[in-house]
Structures are given as C-alpha cells and as structure tokens.
Amino acid sequence: MPQTRGDFHPAPDTGEFSLIPAPPWHYSGDLLTIEYRTDPGRVRELLPEPLELAAEDPGAVALIWADWQSCGPSREELLDPVRAQYKETFAVVRCSHRGRTFSRCVHIWVDKDFAIARGLHQGYPKRLGSVHLTRPHPYGPAPRIEAGARIGATLAAADRRLAQAVVTLTGPSETGGFVNGHPMAHHRRVRAIEKGRGLALDELIETGAASFEAGPAWRGEAELELFDSPVEKLAGLAVREPIAAYYRQVGVVWDGGRLLESAGPGSRS
Amino acid sequence: MPQTRGDFHPAPDTGEFSLIPAPPWHYSGDLLTIEYRTDPGRVRELLPEPLELAAEDPGAVALIWADWQSCGPSREELLDPVRAQYKETFAVVRCSHRGRTFSRCVHIWVDKDFAIARGLHQGYPKRLGSVHLTRPHPYGPAPRIEAGARIGATLAAADRRLAQAVVTLTGPSETGGFVNGHPMAHHRRVRAIEKGRGLALDELIETGAASFEAGPAWRGEAELELFDSPVEKLAGLAVREPIAAYYRQVGVVWDGGRLLESAGPGSRS
Amino acid sequence: MPQTRGDFHPAPDTGEFSLIPAPPWHYSGDLLTIEYRTDPGRVRELLPEPLELAAEDPGAVALIWADWQSCGPSREELLDPVRAQYKETFAVVRCSHRGRTFSRCVHIWVDKDFAIARGLHQGYPKRLGSVHLTRPHPYGPAPRIEAGARIGATLAAADRRLAQAVVTLTGPSETGGFVNGHPMAHHRRVRAIEKGRGLALDELIETGAASFEAGPAWRGEAELELFDSPVEKLAGLAVREPIAAYYRQVGVVWDGGRLLESAGPGSRS
Amino acid sequence: MPQTRGDFHPAPDTGEFSLIPAPPWHYSGDLLTIEYRTDPGRVRELLPEPLELAAEDPGAVALIWADWQSCGPSREELLDPVRAQYKETFAVVRCSHRGRTFSRCVHIWVDKDFAIARGLHQGYPKRLGSVHLTRPHPYGPAPRIEAGARIGATLAAADRRLAQAVVTLTGPSETGGFVNGHPMAHHRRVRAIEKGRGLALDELIETGAASFEAGPAWRGEAELELFDSPVEKLAGLAVREPIAAYYRQVGVVWDGGRLLESAGPGSRS
C-alpha cells in the first residue's frame, strides 16, 4: 500500500519515515540541569485542564541543557553525525493529573529538524534555537568533571539571547534532580484546518524513557540569567529561589508512550 | 482558561501562539517554478489512498523555489525580519480525489521553524533545508526581469546538495504554470503515541489561498539537476521530459482550509 | 609557477583564488542607512594615528544594513546564489587624513565567508553576524518603496542581538546620506607571527567604488536601538542625536584601491 | 594611544582584540586523522617556492577532523561556549624547506569566525564549512573509545558535501600519525591593494604548539570518500593508497611562531 514518504508527521507502521525512523530511538547525552523555584502562579498558567499544580513544591522548575547524539534502531545516523547530533534547552515543571505527579516540558528549543519531528510525536513544543553547553574534556583548558569545574550554557532564538548560566560543580550527588524525574504528561494538539472548529486532535499522553543508564551525578551551584523577549515566554518563569544544579552523562531509549485522555474532535472550539 | 503557551502545535482560538499567530497569514514572495514530466509510477507511489493519479498528464511535476516574507494579522514580523523571511523548495504533483483534480505537495524544505509550524497545520511535509534563489534587481550584475535573464536556484539538506537549476527567461507568459494551480489535497497524520496503534489523526484536507495577487508571469527554459541522497527522495522524481519554467512575484493570503475526509483513530493500524 | 590554491588571503595575479576571484567585484544591493550623531570622543577612540576627527560634524555616524548579490568578472556566482548573496551591517564614521576627509568603516558584520575574504583585502574589519532587513516588494504585506513604508533591520552576533531599527520612509531624497560618501580610509594590519614584534604589515589605504549606479533615494525617520554586549563595541557609538535615514537600491563595482601610507615591519612594537 | 578595536586583523600588543584575544590560545579537542597517499604531483602543485616535496613519502596526506573548545588567557570564552566551540576539517601534507621537513596545511574549513581570525594569523587558509564528527560517549548508542568503535565524519561547504569518512578503531597505537607531526610551514600573504602590484606581505612562517598533552592514541581503518566540487579543490588530493586512521583527545597551547622568510613588498608581481 503506497504511503506518504518524506512526511514530517510520523507515518504508519511501515518504517517509511525519511526524516526520522520509527522508534525505538536511542540517545547518548550530557545533561546540565538547573533547578529553582518560581512563583507557582506562573507554573499554573502553563497547565491546561485537567492538569493541576503538583501538591508539593509546585513552583519548582528544571531548566535543562542537553547535548545529544541520537539514532533509530539501525544506528546509521551516528555515522552521518549531522543527522544524529543536536543540542536542546528545555524547561520542565511538575503537575498533578488525577492524583498522580508528572513532569511536563513547557518550553523547548532544539537546533535540528529531526529533533522537532520526534518532539512533535512526543508532545514536546519544540522550536529552533541556538544552544551551547561547555563540554568537559580530559585535556587542555576545558573543565574536567570534578569539584570546581565550571560549565557554561546559553540559549538564543530568533537572534536574541534568552538564557545563560554558569554552573560550578561542588561534589558528587545522589540524584540528577527531582523536577524532571517523573513520567511526562504532555499534550498533543492539532488545530482543526477549518477556522473556528477548535482542535482536530486533543490528547494528553504519558511518555518517558523505556530504559535509562547514567554515570555519576554531580551537584553544583548555578548563576542563571533569563532575558525578556517580545516573542518568547521563558523569562516568565523568573527565579525566585535557587535549588541546585546537576551534571550527568546518560544513555536513554525512548519507545512509545501511553494515552491518558483524549477529547473528541471539535473540543475547546 | 489557561492554555499551553509556546506550543509548536497550533493552539485553540485564543490567539496565544508564540511561534506563529492564528491565521490569516500574509505572504509576499518571488516564485521560480520548473515544470517537467516524470514517470507517472513515481507520482503514484506518493499518493496514499483514496488519492489517484490525475486523469491528464499524470506525471507532471512542479519543482518550485520561493523567497518569502510572511506575517500574521498584526504584520509585526515584517519589522523583525528574522521572523518573517524564509525560503523554500517544494515539489508539487497533481492527483484526483473523487473525480476532482487537486495539486499536492509531496516534498518540501524550508529554512525557518515558523514555516515548519505553519506547514504542519496546512499538511505540508516540511523539514529544514538550505535554499537559495537569485533575486532579480534593477542595478548591478543581478538580472533584471526580462528576456535573457538567468536565475539560479539550489537546495541542500543535511549538508548534501539535492537540486540545482538555472532558468533563462524567454518572454512573458499567460500563466505561472499548471501543476500547482489547483486546490491542494494534503494529509494531516499524527501517529498514535502507543506503538502499533496506527494513526491518532488521519485527515485529508483541502487548502489554498484565500486571496492572490501577482505581477506579470515570465516563461523560461530550465536546466535542472536532481542529486541522489541516501536520506531524501526528491531524485526519485527524475526528469523524463521538460515542460517549461516560470518566474512571478506574488502576494498571497492563507486563511484556513476544509476537511475532505477523516479516518477514525486507529486507522491503518 | 605553482601557487597556493584555496588561500583565504588573496593570492598573486594568477586568478587562482577559490574562495574569491580577483577583482573587479560586482554588487547589486539594497541599502538602509541610518545617520546620527554620537559623542565625537567615541569616534576619536576608533581612529588610529595619523587619522584625526573630521573637521565638520565629527560625531556623525552611519549605521548601514545592506542586502547584496555579488560576483567576480565571470558572474558565475550569481547562478549558485549561496556564493553570491550576503547581508551585512556596518558602522561608518568620517575622519581626516592630511587635510582630506575620508569615510571609514569601524565595525562590520557579514553572514558569509567570501564577504570576509573580500573585506580583509579591502581593510574592512569583518566578522560574522546574523543580519536581517525587510525587503520592499510589489505584492502582499511587505512594504512598497513609497512614503509611509516601514523597513525593519536587525543585527546579532554570537547569539546576542546588537542592534535593531525600524525606518519609516517619508519621501524622496536628493542623497543617500553624507557619512559614507567619501573614499574610505582603511587600515590593513597583520600582526607579526613572533610575539612582541608588533606588526608585519601596517598600511593605510584608500578604497572606494570604481563605478556606481543607483535608483531614487528615499528619506525616512529611524527608531534605532543599540544593545550592550560583553564582546562587541557597537553600543559605544551611542545615539546622541538622530540625523536621518535613507533607502536606496544600488549597483557597485570595486576594482582595487590605493596605498596612502605604509609603516615598516615592526611598527608599533 | 588609540587603537583600532574590533579588527579582524590581530592588532598590536594592547590586548584590544574583540574577536580574538592576544595569544596564548588554549585548546581542548578530539582529533580524527586519516592518512593516505595521493599522487605526489598533486602535493607539489600546492607548494609555492621555495618549498619542495618531502624527501620521504612525498604523497602522504593527513585529512583531519577536529572538535575543539578554545580560549585565550582569561579562559572566559569557555563559559560562553558559542565563542569557544568550533569544528574543523583540514588537509595536511609534508614539505621540505632548506633541508628541513615541515607539515603544511593546504586546505581547511572551520565553522566559526573566531577560528578564521586566528587561522589568518597562523597562516591557515581557513574558510567556512559545515563539519561533523561522531563523539565517543560512555553511555547510550554512541561509540565507546575501544576496538570496534565506529566514528563518522563529514565536511560540506557552500551546500555541497566535500568529504565523508567512517573510521573503525582496531586497537591502541603508539602514535597519532606522522604527516601532521612536524612544525608547520605556512605562508602569510596579503595581496597589494593596488592591482598589478603583487603582494604587500609575503612571509613564510614556522608555527606549532607551545605545549601539547594527549590521551592514548587509537589506530583504525578508514573508508574515505572525497567529492568533486566546482569550487573546492580537496578532491584533487585523491586517495591512491590508504595508510591508517587515528583517534586521540588532546590539549594544546599555541603561543606564536617564527618567521622563516619574508619577500619584500611587490614580490611576485
């Protein structure tokens, strides 16, 4: 049966993706996580019904820089690295859905289109940004992964700097943070093609890693600046109180999610 | 009612888009269209059911380079042109749906994320590419819009050149081509988040300009080269016979489409 | 005689450049010029001896956005436009050299490497930036070239926005401005490869167009913002008093300059 | 004494560079080196007088991919990594100068302007390219640094792919290759601003690392493809016989070079 090739939307189970293959998707990456508290009212504004603020520490935010190499089952993209490597910055909050606590990505910028395509499937509101993150290195001036190491991170979109941070590692950590530690509750919404008809697709899904491995976590202290922009909302999650920062190298497999709720066509019209 | 801000997916009718505003969307642009015939079997492979080959000239293809400035109703993006300007290359074929002839975009590359976001709404299978097109100019070495003018056009994706063309204008034309002259029949498909469940959204939509203005059309002859790529399918639409090339400056408004067919969730599982 | 091919430095008169051909260089472009007065002391700081402040209006600055298509004698780059098209933003002041008044580019950002290569030859201190400029267009929402037209312009480097402007055209103009209207007095300096030895090349050159054609000039009013950056100095030329803004389409030929002064090797050690 | 700020050319010993600080320059990087033999005649064509082919193995070439983080003495760029990180691909041959053997970079592409600026000082003929290199990683699908690891590398410029390689590591190595193991003999040439006057600067310099540290070297086998381009000469160094490939992580300090020969102004006119 002929299928649409070359579709940005994930196609049926024929494997005929050209921008991204069918899952599972494999990732090697370095994660810099900065956790802080913002006004819970700012988090509340980003949670569509029926999501509610998390019961504990509802203003907690994780702003995460990630430097990834990724691939599908064949792993062929790793050897044509323009199709495997990307960087992203994303903001995660927690929320409650029918009594369970979830993490939720509320803002995300990536620097490659294949990452946008995968994110659309997973309910991440991805757009393009310019993302940079210091890479620890065993030789020369770049930092080793050790106490005292300083790691810089920046984000820009549409030629405006949106965020910059410097994290100084202070020592080993039991965890890599708590805000991004739950399954993700994401919406997948597609507006109806006819004006005024609301949404053609309105799903709340649960998604998370199918498997996860990680090196030692490091804890640190962050200096974080968020900059106003006429077109981006990240600075709305202003820092009220720092929590901590973390650095960790990880391996992740993603292999599908689960539908939590689906509103019928025409919802919210 | 709180809404998800910053969503790549178009949100409900609150106007709270950050990457793209709600329609209508306005465009000023220059179009270079190269029409040719390919093996109709290659077109057939790109048409999902219930679409069929067009009755007349079923192997006709239009490969189009466009250099756009675009904006929403406020037109504010025009004054922050990093958010208004983009270029794209796209391949259009014709097809038949229940006896009507439609145009259909089967491949498209753009160079900005807001163009991907709009294209997702409209059913264009957009991905990123590097697109260049000679701009006629009244002074200096660039061509005037006149007989003999030579216009170059190139497309690359993932660091590989996919297409290049040189068009020589020969004289005024009654039309800007026929392949892209019908309403578009596009699919909007979203794969289910759960593996093996087929599609969560499977729509066939009709879309086209709400209004259109254009300057004089010019006709020309094209030298066109398509290059193989391990990851892109454009070269599959190999040139069997040239038709003609066209150059035209246009203004377009897009303001929503119409649902033609919708399969229920779980279709094609 | 074998020559170094592929050299970023212009090579001898063999024509064996690969990044840029030997002059003459031809340009078609759109120029948006914003003239204003800054503290003359800020201009003085940017003038190495023996240059002095211009006698009249010494604090006048022109900040110029240009959208170019360029080529060498064969004009072949025009048909592979990734090698012909570039945009730039540059700041020009005037200065005096042995009683003559010159223009001088004190800051410049371009978005292509071939433009850096040509600029090195001509004494422009080019670096990379992200440059955007609204393009007037005869159809759709983009402005026509007429009174009331609004043209936006932005500049960023290293993921920070450095400048943005909106110019509203008010009517035809006799001129395109006066600050960039003189021959350019530029330094071409190369530091000695041995530390502490000063300069290996220290030339003051005169350069300007070999020929120039232009369409009607338009005058306008500018809203201009310059932003501080830890790494760029443009904001040092703060606006004290606006003069005027201009828009004009031009054709230019550049074909070499003239040596004004040359200090011997080891100068300024 | 006022100095020219913001100059792409390195300025005198005032430290007032804005794009690049004065040396020493510090580098942390990953190097993938592919050595092979080409027709020595192709190397000969790239050696200006008085350089001659190396006495032994004169057709040996090293094609090197490097993924760098770099900084000046303050190391501040490391924390604003858009100003520290860059990747490059470069081709190195050996040559003989007055009886001594040197290495010499004959082609080089980088992806940041500050790397072009430093390269101009050091005599590297840098231009922009798009460079990608698989990064070994301890978790997930990316390769570990071990026998059997496969590392991909690609190079493109002006939207054309110029080279791609896959290296499979086979085991530890005593060395990281021999072609790039000598001091570099580079030309620094600046064409006279007046046409027909030859060169204003014509130096042959010696340059190399002031200090060097490195991790264990790994040896491997390469599959290398070079692609023709109408504007780049890399494919002229066609592979006649493979030698070996190497992977190594390094730390480097560069702190100035030494003048070998200088022709007077007007040379080679």
Side-chain angles (χ1 to χ4, degrees), chain C residues 1-258:
Chain C
M1 185 185 68
Q3 296 297 335
T4 302
R5 296 171 195 260
D7 207 321
F8 205 96
H9 305 290
D13 283 333
T14 61
E16 289 199 83
F17 295 73
S18 71
L19 193 57
I20 48 169
W25 300 329
H26 302 263
Y27 303 77
S28 295
D30 302 342
L31 295 180
L32 182 75
T33 299
I34 299 174
E35 294 192 339
Y36 65 92
R37 293 185 184 92
T38 193
D39 176 351
R42 298 290 82 74
V43 175
R44 180 71 193 84
E45 292 172 357
L46 299 173
L47 301 178
E49 293 174 339
L51 300 179
E52 298 174 0
L53 283 174
E56 281 184 52
D57 214 348
V61 176
L63 188 60
I64 305 172
W65 273 262
D67 190 347
W68 293 113
Q69 294 181 90
S70 62
C71 59
S74 76
R75 304 193 176 200
E76 67 184 63
E77 301 93 325
L78 290 175
L79 299 181
D80 188 15
V82 66
R83 295 191 287 134
Q85 296 178 348
Y86 72 104
K87 295 192 292 294
E88 66 188 4
T89 307
F90 58 110
V92 174
V93 299
R94 289 169 311 135
C95 59
S96 177
H97 176 254
R98 312 216 184 283
R100 284 179 68 203
T101 301
F102 287 86
S103 300
R104 179 177 175 88
C105 174
V106 291
H107 298 298
I108 184 166
W109 293 263
V110 300
D111 61 7
K112 289 281 177 66
D113 58 352
F114 60 79
I116 290 179
R118 287 195 303 234
L120 283 166
H121 182 57
Q122 299 166 317
Y124 284 90
K126 290 186 177 181
R127 66 196 64 192
L128 290 179
S130 179
V131 176
H132 289 84
L133 178 62
T134 307
R135 279 200 301 273
H137 195 273
Y139 306 101
R144 316 292 170 256
I145 303 178
E146 64 188 10
R150 301 187 78 205
I151 298 171
T154 65
L155 167 67
D159 284 351
R160 289 181 178 93
R161 190 164 286 202
L162 301 179
Q164 62 191 24
V166 174
V167 169
T168 304
L169 300 186
T170 53
S173 172
E174 292 295 309
T175 77
F178 69 96
V179 179
N180 194 30
H182 306 272
M184 311 298 285
H186 283 171
H187 278 82
R188 304 201 315 163
R189 288 173 164 176
V190 177
R191 185 194 182 94
I193 192 63
E194 303 185 29
K195 290 183 71 173
R197 292 287 176 85
L199 297 173
L201 181 75
D202 187 3
E203 294 184 347
L204 181 64
I205 63 153
E206 172 180 344
T207 172
S211 76
F212 178 84
E213 58 176 332
W218 286 79
R219 188 181 176 96
E221 291 168 0
E223 305 154 59
L224 172 62
E225 293 173 278
L226 305 179
F227 301 105
D228 281 326
S229 157
V231 286
E232 299 285 0
K233 311 285 189 185
L234 179 59
L237 295 172
V239 178
R240 178 178 276 189
E241 180 189 13
I243 299 174
Y246 305 92
Y247 183 83
R248 198 172 207 182
Q249 294 189 290
V250 303
V252 182
V253 179
W254 189 93
D255 197 25
R258 198 168 68 81

Side-chain angles (χ1 to χ4, degrees), chain C residues 1-7 16 18, chain D residues 36 38-53 58-61 91-95 103-109 125 127 185-187 189 204 232-238:
Chain C
M1 185 185 68
Q3 296 297 335
T4 302
R5 296 171 195 260
D7 207 321
E16 289 199 83
S18 71
Chain D
Y36 65 92
T38 192
D39 175 351
R42 300 288 82 73
V43 175
R44 181 69 193 85
E45 292 172 356
L46 299 173
L47 301 178
E49 295 175 338
L51 300 180
E52 298 174 359
L53 283 175
V61 176
V92 175
V93 299
R94 289 169 312 136
C95 60
S103 300
R104 179 177 175 88
C105 174
V106 290
H107 298 298
I108 183 165
W109 294 263
R127 66 195 64 188
H186 282 171
H187 279 81
R189 289 174 163 174
L204 180 64
E232 300 285 1
K233 310 285 189 186
L234 179 60
L237 295 172

